[in-house]
Amino acid sequence: MIFFYLALFCSLVAGGPTQYYVDCNATSPGNGSLAGPWNSLGSVNSFVFSPGDVLSFKSNITCKGVVAPLGSGNLTHPIRIMSYPPDSINGPPILDGDGNNYTLLLKNQDHWRISNLAVTNPAADLGRRQGILIMADDGKVHSDMVVDHNTVYDVAGQTNKATHSSDFAGSAGISINTSNGSRIDDVWVRDNKVQDCGGGAIKVRPGQATNQGRNARVSYNSIDACGGDGVIIAYADSPSIDHNVASNLGKGKYPWTGGNFAAMWVMCDHNPVIAHNVVYGSAMSLYDSEAFDCDWGNTGTCLVEYNYSHDNAGGSFLNCDGCGDPKGPTQIVRYNVFENDCRMVSVGELPELWFCNNVVYCPKQDFSINVPPTTHFVNNIFVGTANATLPTGSGVDWKSNFFQSVTPPTENGFTGNPGFVNPGLAGKTLGAAFGYRVKPDSPVLSKGSVVHGNGNLDFFGHDVSNYTAPNLGAYSGAGVSL
Ligand SMILES: *[C@@H]1O[C@H](CO)[C@@H](O)[C@H](O)[C@H]1NC(C)=O
Ligand SMILES: *[C@@H]1O[C@H](CO)[C@@H](O)[C@H](O)[C@H]1NC(C)=O
Ligand SMILES: *[C@@H]1O[C@H](CO)[C@@H](O)[C@H](O)[C@H]1NC(C)=O
Ligand SMILES: *[C@@H]1O[C@H](CO)[C@@H](O)[C@H](O)[C@H]1NC(C)=O
Ligand SMILES: *[C@@H]1O[C@H](CO)[C@@H](O)[C@H](O)[C@H]1NC(C)=O
Ligand SMILES: *[C@@H]1O[C@H](CO)[C@@H](O)[C@H](O)[C@H]1NC(C)=O
Ligand SMILES: *[C@@H]1O[C@H](CO)[C@@H](O)[C@H](O)[C@H]1NC(C)=O
Ligand SMILES: *[C@@H]1O[C@H](CO)[C@@H](O)[C@H](O)[C@H]1NC(C)=O
Ligand SMILES: *[C@@H]1O[C@H](CO)[C@@H](O)[C@H](O)[C@H]1NC(C)=O
Ligand SMILES: CC(=O)N[C@H]1CO[C@H](CO)[C@@H](O)[C@@H]1O
């Protein structure tokens, strides 16, 4: 009887989800158990994982080479890659790609979670290189790939888009890419730290022009010193780039060396949103280096709101609808604070741009602002210099804007001191923009025009009415005295 029960017990365990262990410092090859962890990536990569399985790497141990585990999870039981022991204070396991094309690869797979790893891929020579690569090329629809709480650093990607454009596009700390008609839905890249990656930090292409990926989201990541783009989502339906911080792009261990990059941008998407992000300190590239970019091929509305950017060499916003197959979306840029980001660039004449309730704070630098021929500037505050000019044209409509130290471009608008509480902090968080709230005696209170479909929230999360005259700028409250 005892033998019968033991056999039954073992077969149940073998059939259910299992946790597998890897310690690349272990002396014997092991069988993947806690007592006998695998010690080589060869063992990991030849095993097919099942729904609910956990692949855990020993904390603070380095594994060198490519990690490419096989298998798929399911809707209720994803497969997880994580570290052991749980909550280790010894620091994450370190996956070091050792200069291979990528460090961690999942190809044509579904339902994985990649969490709490340190991923690196240094090399002496630059090339098309990634830290984490999730890809699909089998022509099928895949789903549910989540990359969270990892640190991805020192990835020797290609930094020259002028001479190696395809390798540059393919290089990133974290890359999600599809080809041959494939799609990956429900991609979520969140809470990762990405730094010192040549070519850029996080690039997500979950689908194709006629088969866009759904529910792609890149959020709460902290990106620093990557030599290229900060975040791109392309070929996606209603994707979101939100709550990320990207600093010092173009700099770092693998600095930008040619062509263009921008901090956060969207391309060939339908109704993309870029919101609640902070971008600062981007170096200049050939023409771009703006904080935010509605690039070519977008349809519907490209929405850029509730962001704070400062001191980017390329300025705040790029309309690049004309940089490829133009689709002329509506572009809405509203409730943002742009500090010492005095440049806007426009390539492409089709989009209609609504630039509403932003603060553009440029007391030290002249504006260089170019916009699509049909643009509405409504309820913004511009702080400028005596010599700065703002764009005019028959399709450029100025309504209820406020100007300090800069000549209004038309008869319409207000001049004076907006009475900011504490501007110009050059901060690292959205909180630094709280200095752009205004004092109770500010002349911008209730001076605005009602904008139809105004989003109903200001930068600070206060209500904005559909009916009563709003404030000018990104703050809709009654004024704060400090
Ligand atoms: C793991 O092995 C490497 C290389 O032999 C060694 O440098 C390191 O100290 C080892 N780590 C531990 C925790 O044993
Ligand atoms: C796996 O390896 C451990 C440690 O050597 C051993 O105790 C265990 O019996 C092995 N399991 C199987 C199923 O072989
Ligand atoms: C997922 O896999 C688990 C473990 O094998 C199984 O119990 C569950 O029924 C599966 N769920 C679905 C939705 O297939
Ligand atoms: C990881 O181990 C190394 C030695 O291999 C040690 O120097 C380092 O402090 C450890 N990391 C953490 C976070 O404890
Ligand atoms: C690695 O990248 C090189 C250059 O892009 C490419 O030729 C090669 O096929 C890639 N190898 C793998 C295994 O992906
Ligand atoms: C490309 O997709 C088709 C299905 O649309 C599939 O039959 C083919 O195998 C895929 N090619 C590769 C290289 O996976
Ligand atoms: C995506 O993969 C395809 C096929 O391997 C490649 O041609 C393309 O350059 C890749 N794109 C990016 C952005 O990595
Ligand atoms: C403004 O323009 C005048 C005349 O072109 C020039 O002399 C002056 O230096 C400029 N001031 C600044 C701050 O650029
Ligand atoms: C304001 O207008 C929006 C549509 O633009 C609508 O969704 C919202 O419910 C309206 N709010 C109120 C309080 O009327
Ligand atoms: C509209 C909105 O959610 N605004 C948020 C912007 O960021 C600040 C600081 O994190 C939040 O307090 C606001 O709620």
Side-chain angles (χ1 to χ4, degrees), residues 137-139 180:
D137 66 359
D138 59 359
N180 185 33

Side-chain angles (χ1 to χ4, degrees), residues 92-97 102-104 114-122 129-133 147-157 171-175 189-198 200-203 221-226 254:
I94 299 134
L95 305 185
D96 178 347
Y102 34 74
T103 305
L104 174 52
I114 304 173
S115 313
N116 298 310
L117 307 174
V119 178
T120 185
N121 199 1
R129 206 169 265 120
Q130 304 92 26
I132 297 173
L133 174 63
V147 180
D148 69 280
H149 296 98
N150 302 284
T151 301
V152 181
Y153 61 100
D154 198 345
V155 174
S171 293
I174 300 172
S175 169
V189 180
R190 65 180 175 97
D191 292 289
N192 300 285
K193 269 192 189 159
V194 185
Q195 55 204 49
D196 293 302
C197 293
I202 301 174
K203 298 181 179 174
N221 298 286
S222 159
I223 294 164
D224 186 52
C226 286
Y254 305 102

Side-chain angles (χ1 to χ4, degrees), residues 121-431:
N121 199 1
D125 60 312
L126 300 181
R128 169 186 282 238
R129 206 169 265 120
Q130 304 92 26
I132 297 173
L133 174 63
I134 295 175
M135 60 170 289
D137 66 359
D138 59 359
K140 298 192 173 133
V141 178
H142 295 277
S143 70
D144 187 24
M145 304 296 275
V146 180
V147 180
D148 69 280
H149 296 98
N150 302 284
T151 301
V152 181
Y153 61 100
D154 198 345
V155 174
Q158 178 53 248
T159 60
N160 193 322
K161 193 175 182 178
T163 54
H164 298 79
S165 102
S166 148
D167 285 355
F168 181 94
S171 293
I174 300 172
S175 169
I176 318 287
N177 187 19
T178 57
S179 57
N180 185 33
S182 313
R183 205 172 96 202
I184 310 178
D185 291 343
D186 308 306
V187 167
W188 194 4
V189 180
R190 65 180 175 97
D191 292 289
N192 300 285
K193 269 192 189 159
V194 185
Q195 55 204 49
D196 293 302
C197 293
I202 301 174
K203 298 181 179 174
V204 176
R205 187 222 159 117
Q208 318 300 325
T210 54
N211 188 23
Q212 290 170 322
R214 300 177 191 168
N215 301 322
R217 185 172 178 201
V218 175
S219 57
Y220 296 97
N221 298 286
S222 159
I223 294 164
D224 186 52
C226 286
D229 307 286
V231 181
I232 306 172
I233 304 184
Y235 300 95
D237 186 353
S238 309
S240 176
I241 300 177
D242 63 277
H243 299 93
N244 303 283
V245 177
S247 49
N248 303 312
L249 295 173
K251 306 173 188 172
K253 181 164 179 191
Y254 305 102
W256 163 90
T257 53
N260 284 303
F261 70 83
M264 297 188 185
W265 55 286
V266 288
M267 182 185 121
C268 299
D269 291 335
H270 183 61
N271 289 342
V273 175
I274 304 177
H276 307 288
N277 301 287
V278 177
V279 179
Y280 62 91
S282 298
M284 195 55 205
S285 54
L286 188 56
Y287 305 117
D288 289 351
S289 295
E290 297 84 0
F292 308 107
D293 165 19
C294 292
D295 218 271
W296 65 272
N298 293 302
T299 54
T301 298
C302 184
L303 179 59
V304 176
E305 62 182 6
Y306 310 125
N307 302 285
Y308 170 47
S309 80
H310 68 85
D311 299 289
N312 293 290
S316 58
F317 180 70
L318 168 64
N319 156 38
C320 221
D321 187 51
C323 299
D325 182 13
K327 297 279 198 249
T330 300
Q331 297 174 344
I332 299 180
V333 178
R334 65 184 181 194
Y335 308 111
N336 300 285
V337 172
F338 298 133
E339 178 183 306
N340 299 322
D341 274 351
C342 311
R343 178 173 178 260
M344 287 171 62
V345 177
S346 180
V347 181
E349 313 215 318
L350 298 182
E352 178 168 1
L353 170 63
W354 289 85
F355 193 88
C356 307
N357 288 95
N358 301 288
V359 172
V360 187
Y361 183 80
C362 288
K364 297 185 296 209
Q365 226 184 90
D366 292 348
F367 293 127
S368 164
I369 295 186
N370 291 291
V371 292
T374 306
T375 293
H376 310 270
F377 286 103
V378 189
N379 301 342
N380 303 287
I381 300 175
F382 289 87
V383 177
T385 54
N387 284 4
T389 58
L390 290 161
T392 53
S394 60
V396 179
D397 165 30
W398 288 89
K399 194 170 170 188
S400 311
N401 297 281
F402 195 95
F403 306 94
Q404 180 179 22
S405 310
V406 57
T407 308
T410 66
E411 306 277 291
N412 187 288
F414 308 91
T415 58
N417 184 336
F420 292 129
V421 169
N422 190 17
L425 290 185
K428 301 183 174 178
T429 63
L430 286 174

Side-chain angles (χ1 to χ4, degrees), residues 28 30-37:
S28 65
N31 57 15
S33 66
L34 181 57

